[in-house]
Amino acid sequence: MSEILKVDDLKTHFFTEQGTIRAVDGVDLYVGKGETLGLVGESGSGKSMTALSIMRLVPPPGKIVSGSIRFKGIDLPNIEDREMRKIRGDEISMIFQEPMTSLNPVYTIGEQIAEVFRFHRDMSRGEIEERSIEMLRQVEIPSPERRYGDYPHQLSGGMRQRVMIAMALALSPDLMIADEPTTALDVTIQASILDLINKIKQEREMSVILITHDLGVVHEVADRISVMYAGVIVEESSVGDLFKNPLHPYTRALLKSLPSRNVGKKKLFTIPGSVPKLSDLPKGCRFSPRCRDVMDICLKKEPEMKGEYPSPRVRCWLHR
């Protein structure tokens, strides 16, 4: 499988008065052409900040301090802002978590999709409107000609998410990053949004990074999964391998907490404790305070990632 994105030892830190927050602290990722990579983990694990780092949209006082992000051979942190603006939206696009805050409430959805074409393409006003309406049709919004003039508040949550997908796909990007695209949507709408992303991905041979805290979601659509915890990747594997034979105690705990695996039990399984503060990480393995398999070495030294792509990779002393 040909490579489209390779991230090596990416570190994105926030420098605050309270100390340095190591939001992304040595992340390695690989995405092949036409592949869907699921990036999973609890809230606060660094998933969204990894995506924003790839897009070079890290808000201040955050900064990419080291590592490489190679997209089609181009090292994104080292190119000029002007070049990055051309790539962003055109070759790499992103669907953000909450469409109501991502869409501008004072512009119609048609105007907001049209802006993508105006910035990146030399087209007449009529051509832009025609293409924008066609994008609404492709994401299965009913009566797209009428909806073109609607404002975001006039649409349901699922419809707003489809508008975000239309904007992300307008220029046929090679890579789309979807950050929690089904959050706050009911189950039936979630399924239709995921089906839509998968359908368009296959039609366009597009690569996708799907960010979520829900392993059940990535099981349905992803080819590989990277599990993230406290700023680092702790396990990476194909979907089949990860669900059949999870290696890291954190991955095993996440799988045990799935409702489908708790059928017949009085209580859902929960992982004790919470994700550590990224400004005050524990010594040794970052998961050690919550791990049931903790050993002495786990409390003293942080494990390195073991294994080589495409085989399963794991960051754990149990797999020396």
Side-chain angles (χ1 to χ4, degrees):
M1 184 183 296
S2 59
E3 170 189 307
I4 192 164
L5 179 76
K6 193 169 191 300
V7 177
D8 286 310
D9 197 27
L10 175 65
K11 295 183 180 181
T12 300
H13 295 173
F14 285 73
F15 301 94
T16 70
E17 292 180 359
Q18 290 73 38
T20 300
I21 299 171
R22 291 148 62 182
V24 181
D25 202 32
V27 163
D28 297 332
L29 289 177
Y30 175 92
V31 184
K33 182 173 174 58
E35 180 182 45
T36 297
L37 174 70
L39 185 58
V40 303
E42 293 169 275
S43 296
S45 59
K47 307 183 302 296
S48 295
M49 199 49 61
T50 299
L52 292 173
S53 300
I54 293 169
M55 298 292 288
R56 268 183 50 180
L57 291 173
V58 177
K63 184 180 179 182
I64 297 173
V65 295
S66 65
S68 68
I69 306 168
R70 300 195 70 82
F71 173 70
K72 297 198 297 188
I74 302 168
D75 194 16
L76 299 183
N78 292 319
I79 62 175
E80 298 290 333
D81 288 345
R82 176 175 47 83
E83 294 177 77
M84 189 64 210
R85 283 195 295 271
K86 288 181 180 178
I87 290 173
R88 191 188 299 129
D90 192 346
E91 298 180 65
I92 309 176
S93 64
M94 184 167 175
I95 304 170
F96 294 91
Q97 279 191 37
E98 177 45 62
M100 198 58 195
T101 57
S102 301
L103 292 169
N104 193 319
V106 301
Y107 291 100
T108 66
I109 61 169
E111 288 174 310
Q112 294 183 64
I113 298 173
E115 184 66 22
V116 178
F117 292 111
R118 275 196 291 270
F119 186 82
H120 290 281
R121 298 287 186 269
D122 183 15
M123 300 167 65
S124 68
R125 180 177 295 182
E127 288 173 323
I128 289 173
E129 182 173 340
E130 185 179 331
R131 285 285 299 276
S132 300
I133 291 171
E134 178 56 30
M135 287 310 306
L136 293 176
R137 186 175 290 110
Q138 283 189 27
V139 297
E140 300 173 3
I141 287 182
S143 308
E145 293 85 359
R146 180 170 62 85
R147 290 296 190 181
Y148 181 83
D150 283 354
Y151 289 88
H153 73 271
Q154 295 176 279
L155 305 179
S156 67
M159 296 270 270
R160 288 195 292 267
Q161 196 60 278
R162 288 172 184 269
V163 172
M164 292 295 296
I165 294 171
M167 292 173 67
L169 295 174
L171 302 175
S172 299
D174 297 307
L175 173 65
M176 182 175 74
I177 303 171
D179 189 2
E180 301 276 10
T182 58
T183 297
L185 301 178
D186 66 49
V187 175
T188 55
I189 301 299
Q190 280 186 25
S192 68
I193 294 294
L194 291 172
D195 287 344
L196 176 63
I197 291 173
N198 206 33
K199 173 188 168 188
I200 295 174
K201 170 219 164 184
Q202 291 174 352
E203 289 175 352
R204 301 189 180 198
E205 294 185 86
M206 179 178 64
S207 302
V208 176
I209 298 177
L210 176 63
I211 298 172
T212 181
H213 60 273
D214 189 340
L215 275 165
V217 166
V218 292
H219 182 263
E220 298 299 319
V221 297
D223 301 300
R224 284 188 304 114
I225 300 178
S226 286
V227 181
M228 195 165 185
Y229 184 80
V232 296
I233 302 295
V234 296
E235 183 168 355
E236 182 185 271
S237 180
S238 69
V239 170
D241 285 338
L242 187 131
F243 274 79
K244 287 177 186 174
N245 184 33
L247 300 176
H248 198 281
Y250 178 59
T251 309
R252 293 201 296 267
L254 285 177
L255 287 171
K256 282 180 70 177
S257 66
L258 288 175
S260 60
R261 299 195 176 206
N262 284 270
V263 174
K265 297 181 181 179
K266 291 183 180 179
K267 286 186 177 181
L268 285 172
F269 175 84
T270 58
I271 306 172
S274 58
V275 178
K277 289 183 179 180
L278 297 175
S279 58
D280 186 24
L281 293 167
K283 188 177 180 181
C285 174
R286 301 177 187 211
F287 188 60
S288 60
R290 309 173 70 189
C291 183
R292 295 186 175 188
D293 301 309
V294 65
M295 302 179 292
D296 286 344
I297 193 171
C298 305
L299 304 174
K300 299 172 183 175
K301 189 176 179 182
E302 186 168 15
E304 295 179 355
M305 186 70 99
K306 296 295 182 183
E308 294 293 333
Y309 174 83
S311 298
R313 303 166 65 230
V314 64
R315 185 189 297 271
C316 181
W317 287 114
L318 290 172
H319 303 278
R320 282 177 280 188

